[in-house]
Amino acid sequence: MGIWSFGGEQYEIISMYSLPDDAWHYELTGLTGPPGTRPYLAVDIPDATPDGTFTPRPAQHVVVRAGGGVLPWLVLTKFIDQLDSSGDLVDEERDRSAEATALPLTLNTWSHGSQQFVVNQFHYGDIDSWCYELYEVDPDVTANNFLDVRIPDASPEDGPFVPMPADHVTLTMHGRWALPWPVFRRFLDAVHAAGDIVTPDRH
């Protein structure tokens, strides 16, 4: 699909059919930086008719694979916009009501089938940023897999939190983690709804 540039870094976007997975595969990968540190994010949309023309299964079956690294928020949202425009996210049950996207300060628990997820938000003083964090509650997993969105503070020494513009915001992916698309999408919607990501069209 092409190469994107942002902040002196380059990112490759690939869209292809994955035969081993019987799924349409969208992939966003960083091209610059040392190996092992480059961001990786993929979305797999299962095929309902693998023996015929690609027919996407409903969005509740879509899987997000986060492979570590840091993505600029504006690169992430551009990738999500491409997914939205593809027409492959079918029958997406997306609740953007205040109840669905509200985030208490700690331990906001979400359910998806038998899985449990927790979203936290807090001021991270070591990096002078407001953070939104998502992780799964799974006693059988010992790996430290989670996502966080970091919004730098424009005036950390001068009082209340003042968010820097969206071109400074990042998604940091810790570990290697597969999570349901509806949970990932709800997390992004909740961060948007919180109102701390300031884009030019909001002024």
Side-chain angles (χ1 to χ4, degrees):
M1 293 172 68
I3 305 293
W4 295 341
S5 297
F6 182 86
E9 307 286 332
Q10 289 191 318
Y11 304 87
E12 183 177 33
I13 295 82
I14 296 173
S15 172
M16 61 184 179
Y17 192 87
S18 174
L19 284 172
D21 302 312
D22 289 328
W24 199 271
H25 179 81
Y26 291 88
E27 180 180 301
L28 172 61
T29 307
L31 298 179
T32 47
T37 67
R38 300 169 188 170
Y40 175 85
L41 184 69
V43 177
D44 289 329
I45 303 173
D47 191 351
T49 55
D51 294 328
T53 303
F54 173 64
T55 305
R57 297 189 69 190
Q60 64 179 0
H61 300 287
V62 174
V63 175
V64 177
R65 304 187 188 280
V70 180
L71 276 175
W73 183 260
L74 296 182
V75 172
L76 170 65
T77 53
K78 185 175 181 179
F79 180 61
I80 300 300
D81 288 344
Q82 291 241 350
L83 282 167
D84 283 334
S85 64
S86 72
D88 292 334
L89 295 172
V90 299
D91 298 328
E92 185 173 17
E93 297 177 358
R94 190 175 175 193
D95 184 355
R96 286 184 279 185
S97 66
E99 292 77 11
T101 58
L103 294 178
L105 285 177
T106 58
L107 299 179
N108 189 36
T109 303
W110 295 344
S111 297
H112 180 81
S114 62
Q115 295 174 276
Q116 296 287 322
F117 298 85
V118 172
V119 181
N120 289 321
Q121 59 170 312
F122 53 91
H123 190 269
Y124 190 175
D126 289 350
I127 58 172
D128 292 325
S129 297
W130 195 264
C131 292
Y132 295 90
E133 179 184 270
L134 172 69
Y135 63 91
E136 184 176 359
V137 180
D138 187 344
D140 296 326
V141 175
T142 58
N144 192 26
N145 299 326
F146 66 100
L147 307 176
D148 67 58
V149 173
R150 302 181 182 185
I151 306 171
D153 192 342
S155 58
E157 307 298 332
D158 298 329
F161 171 66
V162 178
M164 292 190 71
D167 56 351
H168 295 273
V169 178
T170 57
L171 171 73
T172 302
M173 298 171 284
H174 304 265
R176 297 185 177 276
W177 187 23
L179 68 156
W181 168 260
V183 174
F184 183 70
R185 170 77 102 172
R186 183 179 177 186
F187 179 59
L188 300 186
D189 285 342
V191 174
H192 272 294
D196 290 327
I197 297 184
V198 182
T199 53
D201 62 355
R202 291 179 58 177
H203 291 291

